[in-house]
Amino acid sequence: MPLFGSRQPDPDADRVPPGQYKTDKFPVLHYGSVPNTNIATWDFRVFGEVDTPFRLTWDEFKALPRKTVTTDIHCVTRWTKLDTVWEGVPIQEILARAGVRPSVAHVLEHAEQGYTTNVPLSVLDDDDVLLADTFDGKPLDLEHGWPLRLVLPKRYFWKSAKWIRGLEFLDRDQPGFWERYGYSNNAEPWQEERYSE
Ligand SMILES: Nc1nc2c(c(=O)[nH]1)N[C@H]1C(S)=C(S)[C@@H](COP(=O)(O)O)O[C@H]1N2
Ligand SMILES: [Mo]
């Protein structure tokens, strides 16, 4: 018996960013309602400052190269979930196909119902960033973003748009939905960048 009670130090403590707590649940968080997506008319658009803008149908998306990423996720409302397992198309596959122009420094994620969130190209262009259609080996639940969401583990999770429909490449920054409401532009959990100054 430990001398001062039975609480053991959490072996995962160094994986939980400042001000966050660990949960095994998978909370559902979004603004508005769960959209009604028709997979037959669904598309994913890559546009803006790219040499090869393109549009993918669901079947075309499903035919792209895929990989699995296991990662921790952090929501600004303070929950952190460790070792989440996602599968989908690596973002670097999309970037390569688009031919992103040298002038591009920013990307705007576009999702259903006008939800947007912005991210620097240098942050998006990482080997743990996925366009994910699968969580824990199963298609995404509707409320977690079916059919497709972005997963960007190195930023608070509002930068991971559910029901994503496109990426817009920009030569200047353009704040997204939460960023316009005073949330941090950079949103780095280890720096605890929750709100803008
Ligand atoms: N389209 C869309 N994507 C969104 C949001 C949203 O409101 N709309 N909320 C974000 C926030 S704040 C979080 S924490 C995560 C939550 O993902 P989850 O519901 O799968 O846990 O989705 C993000 N993606
Ligand atoms: Mo969030």
Side-chain angles (χ1 to χ4, degrees), residues 28 30-37 113 142-146 162-163:
V28 171
H30 52 262
Y31 180 82
S33 56
V34 174
N36 231 321
T37 301
Q113 301 170 340
L142 269 178
E143 63 268 29
H144 288 297
W146 183 89
K162 303 195 277 192
W163 313 295

Side-chain angles (χ1 to χ4, degrees), residues 152-165:
L152 181 82
K154 292 195 177 85
R155 291 296 180 269
Y156 284 124
F157 214 37
W158 86 76
K159 299 271 190 188
S160 294
K162 303 195 277 192
W163 313 295
I164 194 167
R165 293 293 301 272

Side-chain angles (χ1 to χ4, degrees), residues 21-30 69 71-75 77-87 132-146 148-152 156-158 160-163:
Y21 66 89
K22 194 177 74 167
T23 184
D24 292 324
K25 299 189 190 120
F26 194 177
V28 171
L29 241 111
H30 52 262
V69 169
T71 190
D72 305 341
I73 57 178
H74 315 288
C75 171
T77 63
R78 299 187 182 272
W79 56 267
T80 283
K81 187 172 171 60
L82 303 182
D83 297 318
T84 59
V85 184
W86 305 89
E87 190 194 311
D133 57 20
T134 302
F135 175 78
D136 248 353
K138 293 181 287 289
L140 294 182
D141 286 334
L142 269 178
E143 63 268 29
H144 288 297
W146 183 89
L148 190 67
R149 75 176 303 159
L150 194 86
V151 175
L152 181 82
Y156 284 124
F157 214 37
W158 86 76
S160 294
K162 303 195 277 192
W163 313 295

Side-chain angles (χ1 to χ4, degrees), residues 58 125 197:
W58 183 244
D125 185 1
E197 299 314 311

Side-chain angles (χ1 to χ4, degrees), residues 40-57:
T41 54
W42 179 95
D43 64 3
F44 185 84
R45 293 206 308 136
V46 173
F47 59 106
E49 297 292 314
V50 294
D51 289 334
T52 318
F54 60 91
R55 172 188 168 269
L56 299 168
T57 64

